[in-house]
Amino acid sequence: MTWQGILAFIGILAFLVVVHELGHFLTAKLFGVKVLEAGLGYPPRLWGFRFRDTIYSINLLPLGGFVRLMGEEDPTHPQSLARQPPLARLVVLASGSVLNLLLPILLFAIAFSIPREVPVGLVTIAEVVPGSPAEEAGLRPGDVVLALDGQTIRNVQDLGREIRLRMGETVTFTIKRPEAGGASVLGGGGGQIMHIPVHARFRTDGPTGIRVAMALSYTERESYPFWEALGKGWTATVESLILARNEVISWFTGGGRPEVAGPVGIAQATGEVVERSGWRTLLDFAALLSINLGIINLLPLPMLDGGRIVFVLIEVARRGKRLAPEKEALVHFVGLMAIITLAVVITYFDVLRILREESLFR
């Protein structure tokens, strides 16, 4: 792990956390909830100042941040979060994750605005796995993939993304197949254009069962005006959420297993991204991390925003009858201990992976 990777990781994490906590901060202020402290990093506190009853602090551990609100479980104070109507509390609790899910639109847009080299060539099927959907549909080695469901395929990455976006569906491969006994398509010979429907399974290790390669490849310099890049940023964000959903479904259908990483593992991955692809790719990486942060915080687990949202929804279901603040606080405390324990375990395996010089990306 290089020092550039460590610095990039700390910078990305700090930025994403600031955006997340800014959502909580702004909506809390909007609904009149008292913000006791807004901190970057975790205590002990290194420096801070008070402005309008709120302490703004910089803390020693640079792996996160927080906004401490008045009375998150206790409704006795009129400016406490727990005193607010359920809708206001739901907005405050969800706002951090919502900003994390919207931020990638901007990050992807900036990335699309920056010129980058994109590989372009003929994507050729090198192997068809026996018994796979591709074999059953009639795809063959040597077929050149021109498009998938009408989307032009320029490189291997395009094909992989388009297939993963459509897992669980039947997709149409537009291919060019060499004529029997004739010259290959790659050699300049003719071929037959065919449209072949193939079922894409929920399997991250091969939804259709093909292995592909690039031929006659070159690179094109690509960038977009910012107004066009914003539209592509929106599309990339939506597609990232679909890919995440399909990945999770594949875990439960036997097509893969989750790759879990903590702060150390993410720092390692950040360093690898910088080393392999340069600093520009960090925008894409930061966008994906922001999406992950937003989704994880919305999970219905104690101590996370999603866990607190569950308590508000329980109160609504009970027609305004809330659980005792002490019980809710205890549940969140137990959840915090569980999260810390899990983080320690994940960090242990992250360190082992680094010592073995293994990559998170395999």
Side-chain angles (χ1 to χ4, degrees):
M1 190 187 309
T2 64
W3 66 266
Q4 293 101 323
I6 295 174
L7 289 178
F9 164 70
I10 292 175
I12 289 173
L13 182 61
F15 174 65
L16 297 183
V17 169
V18 166
V19 170
H20 181 93
E21 299 301 332
L22 183 63
H24 294 313
F25 178 87
L26 293 176
T27 51
K29 291 287 190 181
L30 176 66
F31 289 109
V33 177
K34 186 174 182 179
V35 180
L36 300 176
E37 183 175 359
L40 179 62
Y42 290 107
R45 186 185 301 166
L46 296 177
W47 177 80
F49 67 94
R50 181 183 295 274
F51 179 72
R52 293 185 178 177
D53 295 329
T54 299
I55 298 173
Y56 299 88
S57 63
I58 296 178
N59 301 278
L60 180 62
L61 303 178
L63 299 178
F66 63 94
V67 168
R68 188 159 56 92
L69 305 178
M70 169 74 74
E72 296 187 14
E73 293 95 23
D74 185 0
T76 55
H77 194 284
Q79 288 184 287
S80 66
L81 176 64
R83 187 72 171 266
Q84 307 308 309
L87 180 59
R89 278 179 281 155
L90 289 173
V91 171
V92 173
L93 292 171
S95 56
S97 293
V98 170
L99 277 190
N100 279 134
L101 294 175
L102 292 177
L103 175 64
I105 299 173
L106 177 61
L107 294 179
F108 280 130
I110 295 173
F112 282 120
S113 300
I114 299 174
R116 66 173 69 189
E117 299 295 331
V118 178
V120 178
L122 298 180
V123 179
T124 307
I125 297 178
E127 178 187 354
V128 177
V129 177
S132 67
E135 184 189 52
E136 294 174 1
L139 290 179
R140 302 175 188 172
D143 290 344
V144 176
V145 182
L146 304 178
L148 194 79
D149 279 353
Q151 296 291 325
T152 301
I153 300 301
R154 299 179 301 170
N155 50 52
V156 172
Q157 292 76 19
D158 280 355
L159 180 60
R161 185 185 66 254
E162 295 298 332
I163 291 176
R164 292 196 306 274
L165 282 170
R166 294 165 174 79
M167 287 186 349
E169 305 174 13
T170 296
V171 297
T172 299
F173 280 73
T174 300
I175 63 164
K176 190 173 186 179
R177 175 167 294 171
E179 296 177 354
S184 71
V185 175
L186 301 182
Q192 180 183 6
I193 303 297
M194 305 177 67
H195 304 281
I196 300 178
V198 182
H199 179 67
R201 306 168 293 185
F202 279 107
R203 290 189 54 159
T204 54
D205 59 342
T208 57
I210 59 174
R211 306 283 184 270
V212 296
M214 283 274 285
L216 306 179
S217 62
Y218 58 97
T219 60
E220 289 184 348
R221 197 166 180 82
E222 181 181 85
S223 64
Y224 297 89
F226 190 70
W227 57 89
E228 291 183 26
L230 274 176
K232 296 186 73 66
W234 167 262
T235 301
T237 301
V238 172
E239 289 182 347
S240 296
L241 290 171
I242 295 172
L243 291 172
R245 181 204 63 185
N246 291 349
E247 178 88 10
V248 172
I249 293 175
S250 72
W251 299 343
F252 296 96
T253 56
R257 62 183 180 85
E259 292 289 344
V260 181
V264 174
I266 298 174
Q268 177 197 12
T270 305
E272 292 179 8
V273 168
V274 173
E275 183 178 348
R276 294 179 183 182
S277 306
W279 291 90
R280 292 177 181 174
T281 312
L282 277 179
L283 286 168
D284 296 333
F285 189 61
L288 296 176
L289 285 181
S290 187
I291 290 172
N292 277 275
L293 181 61
I295 292 174
I296 289 173
N297 270 283
L298 286 177
L299 294 177
L301 301 175
M303 191 60 197
L304 298 180
D305 295 334
R308 296 184 181 278
I309 288 173
V310 167
F311 277 93
V312 179
L313 295 177
I314 290 174
E315 177 189 331
V316 172
R318 299 177 70 189
R319 300 179 181 233
K321 185 179 180 182
R322 66 174 75 226
L323 296 174
E326 311 82 46
K327 292 182 179 179
E328 182 177 349
L330 177 61
V331 171
H332 292 311
F333 176 76
V334 172
L336 175 61
M337 293 299 102
I339 290 173
I340 292 175
T341 302
L342 180 62
V344 171
V345 173
I346 293 174
T347 299
Y348 169 76
F349 286 104
D350 283 343
V351 172
L352 281 184
R353 183 174 54 248
I354 292 173
L355 293 177
R356 294 170 182 163
E357 298 184 350
E358 297 175 354
S359 171
L360 187 65
F361 299 113
R362 299 187 182 279

